Amino acid sequence: MFSNSMISLTTAVFALSALTTAAPRNMDERTQSRLSLTEQLQLADLTAERYALLPNDSDFVYDYNKSDTGLADRKSFPALEGLGGSLAIADFPPCSMAALHIHPRATEIFLVVSGNIITEMIPEAGVLTANGTQRVIRTELKPQQMTVFPQGAFHAQINPYCESAQAVAAFTSDNPGAGFVVPQTFALTDEFVEPSFGGIIKGEDLEKVRHAIPQAVVFQMDECVKKCGAHKKA
Ligand SMILES: *[C@@H]1O[C@H](CO)[C@@H](O)[C@H](O)[C@H]1NC(C)=O
Ligand SMILES: *[C@@H]1O[C@H](CO)[C@@H](O)[C@H](O)[C@H]1NC(C)=O
Ligand SMILES: *[C@@H]1O[C@H](CO)[C@@H](O)[C@H](O)[C@H]1NC(C)=O
């Protein structure tokens, strides 16, 4: 008994000293140069060793003013790698819509910072209203109000007003991903699209629909732009 606990104590001490002296094994320089920082972080043997790959305190700062995408994820901000979260700042110009989309790997928490944004969301099949029709969860958010879009839920946001709006979106994955429901649906071949719409959109009509679908993630709503007229500013 006694010797057994001595052994486990010794093992524990050795394990601890291994921890305190942990240094990243020097990766072959050529291998390292071929790998992105995010890939190197994924390969670290121990989490503690990852910090040697992020030596500067500035490696822990993401500057949205210098961001192309507005999303800090594990690729644009490697310090997030493996930590299960990411964060976006989304600008909604007057009369704009964020296309109907899903996030395959994350729940989204969506907070309005300025302006007003309307959201609609369908969590999944089987979520019905009292009269048995598909339930659509609609929110009209003002500054300091937030909503949640569960992982995989269809959702879209609009700013149908003549003033800009801004929101912050937090995700429960460092790699949330996105799927754009309408352009991706119409990317299928006619053989699949036509029956999906009960056969009423086909041939030239189907091509017209394909060409009319906005490909941008955030786009302007023409009717609203007309309504806001000279008031419109980005
Ligand atoms: C740390 O950041 C500074 C500028 O912020 C840069 O000049 C320096 O090369 C960085 N050091 C390392 C080890 O990345
Ligand atoms: C980012 O831009 C805002 C104005 O849009 C400014 O107030 C802020 O100081 C900027 N931050 C940095 C770090 O430059
Ligand atoms: C079912 O309920 C929704 C609201 O809960 C309503 O908008 C819709 O018109 C109703 N449909 C029918 C067929 O009563």
Side-chain angles (χ1 to χ4, degrees):
M1 272 293 265
F2 179 75
S3 64
N4 268 356
S5 51
M6 275 300 280
I7 290 167
S8 49
L9 188 64
T10 317
T11 314
V13 170
F14 272 113
L16 203 62
S17 67
L19 258 186
T20 53
T21 59
R25 196 184 39 208
N26 275 337
M27 201 182 285
D28 172 279
E29 264 181 36
R30 270 175 312 164
T31 307
Q32 191 163 8
S33 67
R34 281 202 306 270
L35 298 177
S36 70
L37 180 53
T38 303
E39 288 169 324
Q40 292 173 46
L41 289 162
Q42 280 172 11
L43 291 171
D45 289 334
L46 292 172
T47 302
E49 293 174 0
R50 292 154 44 104
Y51 291 88
L53 295 164
L54 303 164
N56 256 348
D57 289 353
S58 63
D59 293 330
F60 293 84
V61 177
Y62 185 84
D63 188 345
Y64 285 93
N65 285 1
K66 294 178 184 157
S67 170
D68 294 331
T69 59
L71 171 66
D73 62 6
R74 75 179 187 208
K75 185 172 185 182
S76 62
F77 185 44
L80 284 176
E81 206 294 314
L83 300 186
S86 53
L87 192 85
I89 296 183
D91 289 317
F92 290 83
C95 298
S96 62
M97 174 170 190
L100 181 63
H101 63 285
I102 63 153
H103 299 290
R105 287 175 295 278
T107 287
E108 173 176 351
I109 292 165
F110 183 83
L111 167 72
V112 174
V113 176
S114 63
N116 297 281
I117 295 175
I118 300 174
T119 73
E120 287 197 358
M121 184 259 289
I122 293 177
E124 59 185 285
V127 179
L128 304 176
T129 64
N131 63 28
T133 57
Q134 175 68 56
R135 181 167 176 205
V136 177
I137 297 172
R138 180 183 169 97
T139 71
E140 300 190 12
L141 303 174
K142 294 183 165 61
Q144 310 299 327
Q145 291 186 313
M146 69 94 144
T147 189
V148 62
F149 306 121
Q151 181 171 352
F154 285 23
H155 60 282
Q157 299 97 335
I158 58 173
N159 171 12
Y161 307 106
C162 306
E163 306 298 332
S164 306
Q166 193 177 56
V168 170
F171 299 95
T172 57
S173 165
D174 57 21
N175 177 26
F180 292 93
V181 179
V182 178
Q184 287 181 200
T185 299
F186 282 87
L188 293 168
T189 62
D190 294 7
E191 192 180 1
F192 284 78
V193 178
E194 286 181 12
S196 299
F197 288 87
I200 62 155
I201 320 176
K202 41 171 102 171
E204 268 180 44
D205 287 343
L206 185 45
E207 278 315 298
K208 271 188 215 155
V209 174
R210 280 203 177 98
H211 284 107
I213 295 168
Q215 299 296 319
V217 173
V218 177
F219 54 86
Q220 284 201 305
M221 300 179 291
D222 293 342
E223 285 304 308
C224 172
V225 171
K226 269 183 226 152
K227 185 194 72 189
C228 290
H231 208 63
K232 155 172 98 89
K233 51 183 186 296

